[in-house]
Amino acid sequence: GSLFDDGEIIDWQGDGQYMAIQSASSADDQRTQYVTKVSMSSKKAKTVKDYLFHTGKLSGKDGENWLVLPAKNTGNFTDKRIALVIGNSNYENNTPLRNPCNDATAVSVQLQQLGFDVFVLYDGSYEEMEYVTGAFCRKSFREFYDMAVFYYSGHGLQYDGVSWLLPIDALLLHPTDLKGNCMDVNTLLTRMEETKCTNTVVVLDACRTEKMNWTDEKGKPVVTQPQSVSVEPPIGMLLAYSTRSGEISQDLTDKDAVTGPYAMAFTKALAKQNLNLDELFAEVRTQVLQLTYSSQMPLYTNASTNTVVINGKNAIVPRAAIGQQYGEQSSAYLNYVIEKAEQGDSEAQFQMGKCYEYGEACSKR
């Protein structure tokens, strides 16, 4: 219950000691974080301030458990939404980046307002990125979420036709170091598909260049040829890149910018109501081109089978409402879909047809 100077170096007397730190932002949004000698050592932190920055003030990590930040849902969105946001700035073996942690904060706050339960990871190691991604995908599947969004800001690279996302502890000397030290985008897309969410969105705000200074295990240079990497998302998914294959994603626009150009454009586009996914990411592309004086061109591929709106209501029957398939109903949402269908909304009519296909889920009002 006492106050302390978070810049003081702590003299730990033993591994059994711990400090419980509770946020004081608001009475209904307090979270406790347990700081120990072992946890601080693993983050190479000497002060509580160092530790809190590395674990993430908004990450929702309570001890060894990852807690989802609850949706604010100020717009009363009726489908069930979840997101994972990762921002990696303070790299140990690669060039530190200025804005990814700020990007993660801006995107996560915006998604919470849009009805998303949000996992947030700041400065994630490989182990942490794998763990929180697994927790996110398991929760998405088990709790019948309808929309899942993955957003990453940090270092990325391409090699041998594969895109990789870099944790802060990645040490890459040989091409063989990629597997087991970085996140394979192809594997990530497969895991997202396995959530069985009706709609999934993957946003990768990272460079897509080749690492050109590889050596083999004997220290000899490895000659690589740059190649374009094209990944097709699974059905029902939109995959967005902040830049084209082989090019960099800018970390900042000017000294006063608090986020990178892509995160700035993405959050602004999310704030606009009733944009479908194509309209939203076209808006992002236009803004990024303006912010970077046409030096960075975002790309996206939309394989969604629905007309999806993030900042607005979707006429999509939630997974939990499909009675014979999941054994649950959501009468309030079904009423909304039926009402839209009766007004002539073709998407709602299509979703009602899908629901009837599964049995009696739409037979009651």
Side-chain angles (χ1 to χ4, degrees):
S2 61
L3 299 176
F4 65 93
D5 181 352
D6 62 7
E8 290 287 340
I9 296 177
I10 300 173
D11 181 18
W12 297 92
Q13 300 300 313
D15 291 344
Q17 287 182 311
Y18 72 92
M19 180 181 295
I21 302 175
Q22 188 176 61
S23 67
S25 56
S26 65
D28 59 352
D29 192 30
Q30 289 188 346
R31 288 180 297 276
T32 302
Q33 186 142 325
Y34 297 95
V35 182
T36 66
K37 178 180 180 180
V38 173
S39 65
M40 289 186 69
S41 298
S42 68
K43 291 293 182 181
K44 300 181 179 179
K46 294 182 179 180
T47 68
V48 172
K49 185 176 182 179
D50 294 335
Y51 173 82
L52 292 177
F53 180 79
H54 282 87
T55 56
K57 291 176 290 184
L58 299 176
S59 70
K61 189 173 185 182
D62 189 351
E64 295 304 315
N65 299 314
W66 285 94
L67 305 178
V68 67
L69 302 180
K72 304 295 185 183
N73 202 6
T74 54
N76 295 316
F77 304 106
T78 43
D79 48 341
K80 196 173 180 183
R81 303 167 169 202
I82 190 169
L84 169 57
V85 178
I86 299 176
N88 287 345
S89 287
N90 296 282
Y91 282 86
E92 299 171 2
N93 305 301
N94 296 280
T95 305
L97 299 172
R98 171 180 167 180
N99 279 319
C101 284
N102 297 334
D103 296 344
T105 297
V107 171
S108 62
V109 168
Q110 185 77 352
L111 289 176
Q112 274 188 282
Q113 298 296 325
L114 295 174
F116 285 83
D117 295 326
V118 185
F119 285 100
V120 188
L121 173 62
Y122 294 92
D123 286 338
S125 65
Y126 174 75
E127 182 179 356
E128 289 170 334
M129 286 179 64
E130 286 292 310
Y131 185 89
V132 74
T133 301
F136 162 71
C137 291
R138 287 190 298 272
K139 185 176 179 69
S140 302
F141 176 76
R142 292 173 180 173
E143 299 185 21
F144 309 127
Y145 281 87
D146 304 298
M147 185 186 299
V149 171
F150 177 97
Y151 173 88
Y152 170 84
S153 179
H155 276 309
L157 61 83
Q158 297 178 167
Y159 179 75
D160 197 24
V162 180
S163 294
W164 302 85
L165 309 180
L166 275 61
I168 63 164
D169 58 349
L171 179 59
L172 305 176
L173 301 176
H174 320 297
T176 53
D177 293 333
L178 285 166
K179 190 173 183 179
N181 289 285
C182 298
M183 181 173 282
D184 176 356
V185 170
N186 293 332
T187 301
L188 168 66
L189 299 185
T190 299
R191 296 171 78 176
M192 290 290 292
E193 186 180 20
E194 291 172 351
T195 66
K196 302 301 181 184
C197 292
T198 307
N199 303 301
T200 52
V201 176
V202 175
V203 180
L204 305 178
D205 186 359
C207 293
R208 302 180 66 193
T209 51
E210 299 271 350
K211 179 177 169 63
M212 303 304 294
N213 58 342
W214 294 112
T215 61
D216 61 20
E217 286 76 0
K218 296 181 180 180
K220 295 182 179 180
V222 174
V223 178
T224 61
Q225 295 295 329
Q227 57 181 299
S228 177
V229 175
S230 177
V231 179
E232 297 295 332
I235 293 175
M237 181 182 299
L238 182 144
L239 173 62
Y241 289 101
S242 62
T243 191
R244 291 177 289 190
S245 179
E247 298 190 359
I248 65 169
S249 180
Q250 295 188 31
D251 186 28
L252 57 102
T253 51
D254 58 57
K255 65 179 181 179
D256 297 322
V258 296
T259 64
Y262 190 89
M264 184 183 298
F266 186 45
T267 52
K268 285 184 178 180
L270 284 173
K272 294 187 176 183
Q273 293 185 333
N274 300 320
L275 297 180
N276 63 40
L277 289 184
D278 287 305
E279 293 168 336
L280 188 148
F281 283 95
E283 177 76 12
V284 171
R285 179 176 56 209
T286 298
Q287 291 189 34
V288 170
L289 285 169
Q290 291 175 350
L291 289 167
T292 63
Y293 302 98
S294 298
S295 64
Q296 181 177 326
M297 166 70 89
L299 296 176
Y300 75 93
T301 303
N302 186 5
S304 175
T305 57
N306 303 301
T307 302
V308 183
V309 178
I310 294 182
N311 191 349
K313 294 183 174 64
N314 289 296
I316 297 171
V317 177
R319 293 168 58 198
I322 301 177
Q324 289 192 354
Q325 189 174 13
Y326 297 109
E328 296 184 21
Q329 281 194 328
S330 175
S331 58
Y333 195 89
L334 290 175
N335 286 341
Y336 166 73
V337 174
I338 292 170
E339 180 182 353
K340 293 282 288 186
E342 290 176 345
Q343 293 172 357
D345 188 294
S346 60
E347 187 68 27
Q349 292 169 349
F350 173 75
Q351 292 299 334
M352 277 188 65
K354 287 180 63 177
C355 208
Y356 277 120
E357 180 183 351
Y358 285 103
E360 299 178 7
C362 279
S363 63
K364 298 179 181 179
R365 291 197 66 171

